[in-house]
Amino acid sequence: VQVSESGGGSVQAGGSLRLSCAASGGTGADYPMGWFRQASGKNREFVAMINWRGQRTRYADSVRGRFTITRDNAQNTVHLQMTRLTPEDTALYYCAVGVFDGVRLIESEYDYWGQGTQVNVSS
């Protein structure tokens, strides 16, 4: 499974960005997919995930209410709509694909990763 992210960029605090992730090379519609991020000098952390049916989602406390994860199984894509961005959201955002049932928040549970897309939020 190949995973690729897009949609990163630079915005001012309070702004919005939409990240997209495409999975190819497998039956992508069967995979749960998640977003993780890694800020400079920090460990990678969970942001959001969605199960393969798209009816179950989980969010990190720091983004709940501001970020929304959705998926389009016909296109094998997942989107992360990010609103009310703050400088603390600045990080390299990774998309990850898992091979499990249910919801998982730990990065070691995910098998396939993209290269990441950079998000910079200025104050």
Side-chain angles (χ1 to χ4, degrees):
V1 177
Q2 291 77 48
V3 182
S4 62
E5 307 95 336
S6 61
S10 297
V11 295
Q12 291 190 323
S16 300
L17 279 175
R18 186 184 192 228
L19 305 183
S20 296
C21 173
S24 61
T27 52
D30 295 337
Y31 297 152
M33 298 176 73
W35 288 94
F36 292 76
R37 67 186 182 186
Q38 186 168 20
S40 180
K42 295 186 177 181
N43 293 329
R44 188 156 57 185
E45 64 177 4
F46 169 78
V47 176
M49 70 84 60
I50 189 166
N51 74 328
W52 74 270
R53 291 184 180 87
Q55 88 275 36
R56 298 179 69 184
T57 57
R58 290 292 186 273
Y59 296 93
D61 289 343
S62 59
V63 307
R64 188 176 294 113
R66 301 187 299 121
F67 291 11
T68 303
I69 187 170
T70 58
R71 71 185 296 157
D72 180 351
N73 283 348
Q75 300 293 326
N76 288 349
T77 57
V78 168
H79 304 288
L80 185 68
Q81 180 67 48
M82 306 185 295
T83 64
R84 291 183 281 143
L85 287 161
T86 73
E88 288 68 39
D89 295 314
T90 294
L92 187 61
Y93 283 70
Y94 296 91
C95 180
V97 177
V99 186
F100 54 78
D101 191 20
V103 297
R104 306 283 173 89
L105 280 60
I106 302 173
E107 64 175 280
S108 61
E109 301 279 5
Y110 290 79
D111 296 272
Y112 306 100
W113 293 79
Q115 295 297 309
T117 184
Q118 183 67 39
V119 171
N120 295 312
V121 185
S122 58
S123 57

